[in-house]
Amino acid sequence: QKEVEQDPGPLSVPEGAIVSLNCTYSNSAFQYFMWYRQYSRKGPELLMYTYSSGNKEDGRFTAQVDKSSKYISLFIRDSQPSDSATYLCAMSDPNYGGSQGNLIFGKGTKLSVKP
Amino acid sequence: KAGVTQTPRYLIKTRGQQVTLSCSPISGHRSVSWYQQTPGQGLQFLFEYFSETQRNKGNFPGRFSGRQFSNSRSEMNVSTLELGDSALYLCASNGGQRGEKLFFGSGTQLSVL
């Protein structure tokens, strides 16, 4: 079983739709949960991070973490064509070997928002 | 603040050659991580450097190595290139305390022929 599972899509939605992106994980030691957006031929861009369970909102983006189910989500409201990108979830275990730069990534979900 | 700078952006090499990639982190950041991204495996951790010391290493062969300089700039080297080393190599500058704020450069796209 992979540590982090993410549906690769592709996911295609009309402009203005609410988008739901999800990841599941197996390692209960993960404490920080991140969402990155990656445009073609670019590096991943940090969208949001959350610590432990709960919700966090930033503009049109909401991140949810349910540690009991080992399930995280990213919701995008009023989706725009400029949101078309690959979305990657990432997780960290800050106690792993003292490293703070070793994240475990999902493989990404490719999102297309049609005008 | 300037972002993470990686050079070169594109590289074409042949099997058996070696390559050196460079990364300048965000000013003030002392930790740099390197990742390999391929369509099949996604993003995989290579290694992390903090204050010129390798703090952690991923599951890659010894052909992959790195170093960090006193100004936090980092390089990674791949020797005896194989076709499977073709990938996007990403450098990340660590702005958080628990790995929650990694800022990535645009990467170096390496093609091995």
Side-chain angles (χ1 to χ4, degrees):
Chain A
Q1 182 188 11
K2 293 188 189 299
E3 279 195 286
V4 179
E5 300 271 11
Q6 185 175 10
D7 187 335
L11 179 62
S12 183
V13 301
E15 183 175 354
I18 296 175
V19 176
S20 172
L21 303 165
N22 311 293
C23 288
T24 58
Y25 63 95
S26 57
N27 187 348
S28 57
F30 289 142
Q31 295 184 29
Y32 281 86
F33 304 89
M34 283 65 69
W35 285 97
Y36 285 83
R37 176 175 64 194
Q38 187 174 23
Y39 292 112
S40 181
R41 296 190 178 87
K42 296 286 188 183
E45 172 195 7
L46 178 64
L47 285 174
M48 299 178 71
Y49 68 90
T50 52
Y51 172 72
S52 197
S53 287
N55 291 3
K56 186 174 182 179
E57 188 174 318
D58 184 1
R60 296 185 296 112
F61 298 90
T62 299
Q64 268 186 5
V65 174
D66 182 349
K67 290 194 77 177
S68 62
S69 302
K70 297 191 179 70
Y71 188 89
I72 70 170
S73 300
L74 178 70
F75 298 96
I76 307 174
R77 290 183 299 281
D78 187 25
S79 56
Q80 303 294 311
S82 58
D83 294 327
S84 297
T86 296
Y87 289 80
L88 300 140
C89 63
M91 307 177 188
S92 78
D93 171 9
N95 298 314
Y96 176 64
S99 170
Q100 299 163 4
N102 178 5
L103 302 186
I104 309 300
F105 281 84
K107 288 194 175 179
T109 299
K110 189 168 185 177
L111 171 68
S112 177
V113 181
K114 305 293 188 185
Chain B
K1 251 185 184 179
V4 180
T5 303
Q6 288 189 249
T7 55
R9 282 285 281 126
Y10 302 94
L11 265 178
I12 300 175
K13 293 285 187 180
T14 56
R15 278 181 301 174
Q17 287 186 308
Q18 76 163 21
V19 66
T20 299
L21 313 180
S22 180
C23 171
S24 292
I26 293 170
S27 178
H29 290 185
R30 295 164 62 191
S31 167
V32 171
S33 297
W34 287 89
Y35 287 80
Q36 181 195 65
Q37 187 175 30
T38 59
Q41 298 299 318
L43 271 146
Q44 292 185 287
F45 173 75
L46 280 159
F47 28 66
E48 181 202 0
Y49 286 87
F50 177 81
S51 292
E52 303 179 64
T53 301
Q54 187 180 86
R55 188 154 63 177
N56 201 3
K57 190 177 192 304
N59 189 24
F60 279 84
R63 299 185 297 107
F64 292 82
S65 63
R67 60 178 175 167
Q68 187 179 32
F69 301 96
S70 58
N71 62 357
S72 295
R73 191 177 70 85
S74 178
E75 288 181 348
M76 68 162 282
N77 183 278
V78 188
S79 62
T80 319
L81 284 166
E82 300 178 359
L83 295 178
D85 296 334
S86 295
L88 180 66
Y89 289 88
L90 292 158
C91 168
S93 181
N94 190 356
Q97 297 298 316
R98 297 288 184 266
E100 75 280 16
K101 293 183 185 177
L102 284 196
F103 300 98
F104 285 86
S106 292
T108 295
Q109 183 65 55
L110 172 64
S111 297
V112 182
L113 306 178

